[in-house]
Amino acid sequence: MPTDRPAIVQEAIDFFKLDSNAELDQRREELADLEFEAGCHWDPKVKADREADGKPCLEIDLLSGPLNQIEGQSNESRAGITIGANKPGTAPEAAGLLQGFARGIEQQSGAQDVYQHAVRRCSRAGRAGWRILSEYEDDESRDQVLRLEWVDNWFAVYLDPTYKKQDGSDRKKALIVDDLTHDRYTELHGESDLGAGLTEFQSIGDSPPEWITKERVRVAEYFKIKETKRVKIWFSDGSEVFEDELPTSGRGKKAKPILPEGVTETGRRKVTQKKCCWYLINAIEVLDERELPIPYIPIVEIEGERRNID
């Protein structure tokens, strides 16, 4: 196994191991729920023994009715983004413009299908979600647009398990794995230093069991929130600025910020600025990376019912 992988790749591998261990029981239960709903009601060994003895193995579907009812009620509710002018000084007209912008994103994304797919998975296994992407309007445009995109296999998503807020907005890390054919991998990423036999990203419900097989190569998107501490200053004319953006007099520890003329400082406080960094990696190298102009992980998770046991 390579020992000279970049620090960010090793960090992603360590995060994957942490999240996999934290969610091991949860993922097992989700997989069992999905298999049961699909008609696998018997333990394979028990079923084989009964069939060998000529005994029946009845499988009676009692779930489709309640699940269809849940999905029907969700369809009728027509979930969607709602924006209000709640912050002091925010004009209702501005909120209305943003509301129209959000509705346009949902329509162009086919958001109702995205939401319904998440509801179907959540009603069966307890968790699901979707992601938010920026992409070019078309193959020849330089303009980018936001899109909502479904996640077909939620087992491929690994979200920071140490979050505290109910909506998960304080998550610091996330990982999405994907398996590509060799031809597709070469088409997208060309020749790389990818090594064979690495199994860091294999987990329950997420196969194949090897990093490289005869058919597949695994890559992963790694999201990380980076935080920067800065001092923000407010002035008597209502303006505000970060202290490190002001010109200074002196050098080193004796450097002092020069305030704009005609204003006085009315307040200051330390603030935390956040930005989301995105990396496309395999198990030994970084294939691509960029900074996203957002302070959150662009993955939305929904839960059916949360119970914290042990």
Side-chain angles (χ1 to χ4, degrees):
M1 182 178 295
T3 58
D4 57 348
R5 56 167 64 99
I8 194 66
V9 175
Q10 185 61 53
E11 180 182 310
I13 291 173
D14 292 341
F15 166 73
F16 176 83
K17 292 177 180 178
L18 168 69
D19 193 52
S20 296
N21 290 332
E23 294 191 340
L24 183 60
D25 291 339
Q26 173 71 23
R27 286 173 175 262
R28 282 175 174 163
E29 294 293 337
E30 290 180 19
L31 187 57
D33 287 345
L34 292 173
E35 290 175 343
F36 188 88
E37 188 272 335
C40 301
H41 297 175
W42 291 85
D43 179 274
K45 186 178 183 305
V46 174
K47 185 176 182 179
D49 291 342
R50 290 180 63 86
E51 289 177 340
D53 295 337
K55 296 179 180 179
C57 297
L58 300 179
E59 295 178 346
I60 303 173
D61 182 11
L62 299 178
L63 287 177
S64 293
L67 290 173
N68 290 336
Q69 184 177 5
I70 292 173
E71 293 169 16
Q73 291 172 347
S74 177
N75 282 329
E76 292 177 359
S77 69
R78 303 291 296 179
I81 300 171
T82 301
I83 298 176
N86 298 325
K87 188 176 181 180
T90 303
E93 293 80 7
L97 290 174
L98 290 174
Q99 180 73 73
F101 180 66
R103 284 285 186 264
I105 293 174
E106 289 183 308
Q107 291 174 0
Q108 293 296 323
S109 304
Q112 290 303 316
D113 292 335
V114 174
Y115 299 151
Q116 288 308 309
H117 176 76
V119 169
R120 283 193 295 271
R121 207 276 186 182
C122 188
S123 64
R124 287 158 172 76
R127 295 191 306 175
W130 56 87
R131 58 186 305 185
I132 304 169
L133 298 173
S134 61
E135 58 184 30
Y136 289 104
E137 282 187 313
D138 53 56
D139 293 339
E140 299 182 359
S141 174
R142 68 174 185 177
D143 297 325
Q144 294 191 48
V145 293
L146 293 176
R147 292 287 183 263
L148 305 181
E149 184 175 277
W150 73 324
V151 178
D152 184 28
N153 180 16
W154 195 252
F155 284 120
V157 179
Y158 298 84
L159 298 174
D160 185 356
T162 64
Y163 72 100
K164 300 298 182 183
K165 294 184 178 180
Q166 185 178 8
D167 62 359
S169 60
D170 57 337
R171 284 188 167 110
K172 301 294 181 63
K173 299 177 181 179
L175 197 74
I176 301 177
V177 299
D178 190 19
D179 298 315
L180 307 174
T181 63
H182 286 208
D183 290 342
R184 182 59 173 165
Y185 180 87
T186 302
E187 177 186 345
L188 292 176
H189 309 298
E191 297 298 329
S192 73
D193 298 329
L194 188 65
L198 302 179
T199 60
E200 280 83 354
F201 295 100
Q202 188 271 331
S203 181
I204 298 295
D206 175 27
S207 59
E210 297 179 357
W211 184 254
I212 297 179
T213 68
K214 293 181 180 180
E215 297 83 17
R216 303 284 178 174
V217 175
R218 173 158 291 182
V219 296
E221 296 178 73
Y222 180 52
F223 300 84
K224 178 183 179 181
I225 297 296
K226 288 187 177 180
E227 298 181 344
T228 303
K229 303 291 185 181
R230 304 178 74 183
V231 176
K232 198 170 191 179
I233 303 176
W234 286 264
F235 298 117
S236 55
D237 63 352
S239 62
E240 55 190 55
V241 69
F242 287 105
E243 186 178 44
D244 55 21
E245 295 175 343
L246 293 172
T248 59
S249 60
R251 294 182 178 179
K253 294 183 179 180
K254 296 183 178 180
K256 294 183 179 181
I258 302 175
L259 302 183
E261 293 185 6
V263 300
T264 58
E265 181 181 322
T266 59
R268 64 167 56 205
R269 64 179 288 252
K270 291 183 179 180
V271 299
T272 302
Q273 282 195 314
K274 300 178 182 180
K275 61 181 177 181
C276 183
C277 298
W278 173 88
Y279 305 89
L280 181 64
I281 65 172
N282 55 42
I284 61 172
E285 62 189 318
V286 177
L287 301 171
D288 194 7
E289 61 182 291
R290 67 177 69 101
E291 289 185 0
L292 308 179
I294 53 175
Y296 308 112
I297 303 291
I299 303 173
V300 179
E301 182 184 42
I302 61 173
E303 296 177 329
E305 181 174 327
R306 168 169 287 270
R307 291 179 181 174
N308 191 335
I309 303 175
D310 290 335

